[in-house]
Amino acid sequence: MNLSLGVRALIVVICVLISAIVGILAGLLKHTPATPKAPAILYGGGVFGGSLTLCLLVMSALGVL
């Protein structure tokens, strides 16, 4: 595909926002009231990184980026 730079930047921003939502939800699911918050935050950050990587790889494989 021949997309402009602005459209590609918008797609990357959408991938980041979707990954942030997935990371937040994973952190919320990991946290229990009896445990500290730090492991849940680290888990959510790891899920965010993995989700962003997967999203960008899929977009690259489709030829969008």
Side-chain angles (χ1 to χ4, degrees):
M1 288 185 168
N2 193 8
L3 299 175
S4 68
L5 182 63
V7 174
R8 288 181 184 181
L10 184 63
I11 290 171
V12 170
V13 169
I14 290 170
C15 286
V16 168
L17 291 176
I18 290 172
S19 298
I21 292 171
V22 170
I24 289 169
L25 290 175
L28 287 174
L29 290 174
K30 177 74 173 167
H31 178 66
T32 56
T35 61
K37 291 181 179 70
I41 292 172
L42 287 174
Y43 187 79
V47 171
F48 168 77
S51 176
L52 182 62
T53 303
L54 181 65
C55 186
L56 292 177
L57 284 174
V58 167
M59 291 298 162
S60 295
L62 290 175
V64 174
L65 295 180

